[in-house]
Amino acid sequence: MSFSGDNLKGFVLALLSSGFIGASFIIKKKGLRRAAAASGVRAGVGGFSYLLEPLWWLGMITMIVGEVANFVAYAFAPAVLVTPLGALSIIISAILAHFILKEKLHQLGILGCVMCIAGSVIIVIHAPQESPINSVQEIWSLATQPAFLLYVGSVIALVFMLVFHFAPRCGHTNVLVFVGICSLMGSLSVMSVKALGISLKLTFEGNNQLVFPETWFFMLVVLTCVITQMNYLNKALDTFNTAVVSPIYYVMFTSLTILASVIMFKDWDGQSGGSIISEICGFVVVLSGTILLHSTKDFERSQSFKGSNYAPLSPTLSTGLCSATAEFMKFDEENMPPSEEICKRRQELY
């Protein structure tokens, strides 16, 4: 498939965005480590000392640059094209975590990285051309169609359930809770970012969209979603291993974003069945790559426990993601249970 000019711009911007965002995970994790060491209170249990850590702010600036590039990319290209390219951020994050955070990446993790790239290429090749939009009112009509309103209502209900019911009970032992909140809110933020980006693009082209209240409404939704994502992503990164958070966040966020985009912007309307199947197959390859990346991370950790009487701290993917997987799951020494109790809990996992 030959790219249109707008699709090519979106493609390049999405690649740059993934590079910055992937690096930001590592920089922020380093900042969270320093802040926790200095204050003794981790972000995962409600601490906010990372706000005084310059390295964390550097990671935030890096992420903001990546998000700005991503924001502009959505104004030019469909979400089905832009979002899957986030797989590059997983690869960058995993490689940097291996060398900087000393979170070892198994050799098979390289295969997972290659699969992520291959799947993204398949999706890019078969990505649809976006239908032209001439005003924010057109976007508003898409956002208020019954199917998308049903999706939005479902997302909001799930987020409230995760925040108020599951997060207090198992947020620090189940990686899906914090990451699920980020991903659900992320799918709404992408739709709003795309709407706002198109509005600003039209404004810069001479068709002022800032006079319409819909533009400001989309901006409010973006701010609300981004603040929520930032809060719970910090909790996830501080509680769980980066090599676990990054791929799971990518899988959930991308799946939900593509679903939301297909419902709202009707990305697959007009595409042949073959192209849609190819995109789905490409996405399955990406999912497989991220799962392999996560599984080999656990495999590498379990190897280091061979010959000991202790079970690995992180269960494999087949046993579920319901227990802690990060070396940061440590509180102050006076809050730690006796070593015999720790061993018993580890054995109960298996």
Side-chain angles (χ1 to χ4, degrees), residues 9 58 73 76 105 107 147 153 166 183 191 196 214 222 237 264 291 315:
K9 291 176 184 176
L58 177 61
F76 288 98
L105 179 64
Q107 291 179 349
F166 289 101
S183 302
M191 297 303 99
L196 184 60
E214 292 88 349
V222 169
L237 283 173
M264 179 175 172
I291 291 172

Side-chain angles (χ1 to χ4, degrees), residues 250-303:
Y250 170 78
V251 170
M252 296 182 67
F253 169 75
T254 305
S255 301
L256 291 168
T257 298
I258 290 176
L259 175 62
S261 184
V262 167
I263 295 173
M264 179 175 172
F265 290 98
K266 305 184 185 302
D267 291 330
W268 285 346
D269 285 10
Q271 273 200 299
S272 66
S275 294
I276 295 174
I277 292 174
S278 296
E279 290 176 40
I280 295 174
C281 289
F283 187 56
V284 169
V285 172
V286 174
L287 294 185
S288 301
T290 56
I291 291 172
L292 179 60
L293 197 58
H294 165 63
S295 300
T296 54
K297 180 70 178 178
D298 287 330
F299 176 78
E300 180 69 29
R301 188 182 294 110
S302 66
Q303 290 298 305

Side-chain angles (χ1 to χ4, degrees), residues 297-317:
K297 180 70 178 178
D298 287 330
F299 176 78
E300 180 69 29
R301 188 182 294 110
S302 66
Q303 290 298 305
S304 65
F305 281 88
K306 260 188 180 178
S308 71
N309 295 323
Y310 296 95
L313 288 175
S314 178
T316 61
L317 192 64

Side-chain angles (χ1 to χ4, degrees), residues 18-40:
S18 295
F20 280 108
I21 291 174
S24 75
F25 275 102
I26 307 305
I27 300 172
K28 287 175 69 179
K29 183 69 174 278
K30 290 282 287 185
L32 289 169
R33 282 186 175 184
R34 287 189 182 182
S39 68

